[in-house]
Amino acid sequence: MKQFLLFIMICFTWINTYGQSDFGSVKFKAIAPLNTAPVPKETKPSNTDAPLIKAPDLFKKPDVVLPSGSKYKIGETKSFSMEQTNNFANPGDRVKEKMTKDLDKTLIKEGLREDDRLLVKIDKNFGEIRTKSKYFVVKYRDFVYIDGDLIKATINGQMIGDIKELYSSYGQFIFDLKEGFNTFEMEAYSKGTSGGNTCEFKIYDDKGVLVRSEFWDNWDKGVKGKFVIVKE
């Protein structure tokens, strides 16, 4: 009986030893866990177009209207040109224009510039001159802008010399006086290129004494200035 038990124990020990050495020599590979995350559904991009927007072109003036049908893009390709252009909007232009208008008004107001909008169209009577002089000398000039103003002078209906052109320096003409009343007229024979006729004139007697100094400003063509000269 003892021998039988000893045999069983030896057999058990041998099986256990053999199993450990067998399993010890086998290498096990770990199995990766299953991917149980839900698979996203494949979606197709929609065919909706992007908003119809076009960025402003920095090389154009602000008042250019962008076409509504353009898609978003920056500028446009242009062909190369050697021609010099200036398409930038200058904010100082408006100020410059206003200053120029204000200056023009001031010059016109002070009689330093002519203006067709303010033309004098009515003849003027300069009044009466009494003298003992045998003749008068009239000196004349354009006191504003030399632009081709012409004048015509008459004494008692007779033309004195030729048609006179006004310059910045004085020109002159001389006419005799008869006893009693004499009618002396000076006419704006033309307008200049920049506006009405502008004339300054001075009347001297036969002794060189200044008798009268007058001027007219911005007269229309054909307007006359009249003096009645009484020779005593």
Side-chain angles (χ1 to χ4, degrees):
M1 185 63 179
K2 290 181 179 179
Q3 292 178 351
F4 178 74
L5 290 174
L6 180 60
F7 176 77
I8 291 174
M9 289 179 65
I10 292 171
C11 290
F12 180 78
T13 301
W14 177 81
I15 292 172
N16 188 35
T17 302
Y18 179 81
Q20 287 181 358
S21 61
D22 242 2
F23 284 107
S25 63
V26 178
K27 295 182 179 180
F28 291 93
K29 185 177 181 180
I31 299 175
L34 295 177
N35 185 7
T36 57
V39 179
K41 296 182 178 180
E42 182 180 358
T43 57
K44 296 182 178 180
S46 62
N47 293 328
T48 304
D49 292 335
L52 304 179
I53 301 173
K54 181 180 177 181
D57 192 341
L58 299 180
F59 293 93
K60 290 186 178 180
K61 296 181 180 179
D63 57 351
V64 176
V65 178
L66 298 176
S68 59
S70 300
K71 290 189 176 182
Y72 185 84
K73 55 184 178 179
I74 301 177
E76 295 179 355
T77 303
K78 295 184 179 180
S79 59
F80 175 76
S81 174
M82 294 294 291
E83 181 181 356
Q84 183 177 0
T85 58
N86 185 13
N87 292 327
F88 292 98
N90 186 358
D93 287 345
R94 295 181 181 178
V95 178
K96 180 180 178 181
E97 182 179 355
K98 183 178 184 303
M99 291 178 65
T100 301
K101 290 181 179 179
D102 291 343
L103 178 60
D104 288 344
K105 291 179 181 178
T106 301
L107 292 175
I108 292 168
K109 183 179 179 181
E110 297 298 327
L112 301 176
R113 184 164 183 168
E114 303 164 11
D115 186 356
D116 278 339
R117 296 173 298 177
L118 305 175
L119 286 176
V120 176
K121 299 178 179 292
I122 301 174
D123 292 346
K124 181 174 181 178
N125 189 339
F126 286 102
E128 184 181 287
I129 301 175
R130 289 184 174 269
T131 183
K132 294 181 180 180
S133 180
K134 294 180 181 180
Y135 61 87
F136 273 171
V137 177
V138 179
K139 296 185 177 182
Y140 55 87
R141 73 183 183 102
D142 193 329
F143 69 96
V144 179
Y145 184 74
I146 311 307
D147 58 346
D149 290 347
L150 301 175
I151 63 170
K152 174 184 176 181
T154 61
I155 181 68
N156 299 321
Q158 298 296 316
M159 186 172 171
I160 304 171
D162 299 324
I163 303 300
K164 311 295 184 181
E165 185 171 358
L166 303 181
Y167 298 99
S168 59
S169 59
Y170 285 101
Q172 72 174 33
F173 54 82
I174 302 172
F175 58 89
D176 294 326
L177 297 171
K178 68 178 183 177
E179 296 294 331
F181 290 89
N182 297 267
T183 302
F184 171 58
E185 290 183 329
M186 293 179 66
E187 175 185 342
Y189 194 73
S190 73
K191 294 190 304 177
T193 57
S194 64
N197 194 304
T198 52
C199 177
E200 178 188 9
F201 55 95
K202 297 179 180 182
I203 303 174
Y204 297 87
D205 66 12
D206 56 3
K207 294 180 176 57
V209 177
L210 179 63
V211 176
R212 183 74 68 87
S213 177
E214 296 287 353
F215 73 94
W216 68 61
D217 185 14
N218 218 34
W219 280 18
D220 197 4
K221 178 181 179 181
V223 177
K224 297 177 181 179
K226 177 181 177 181
F227 291 90
V228 174
I229 303 171
V230 180
K231 182 180 180 183
E232 299 174 333

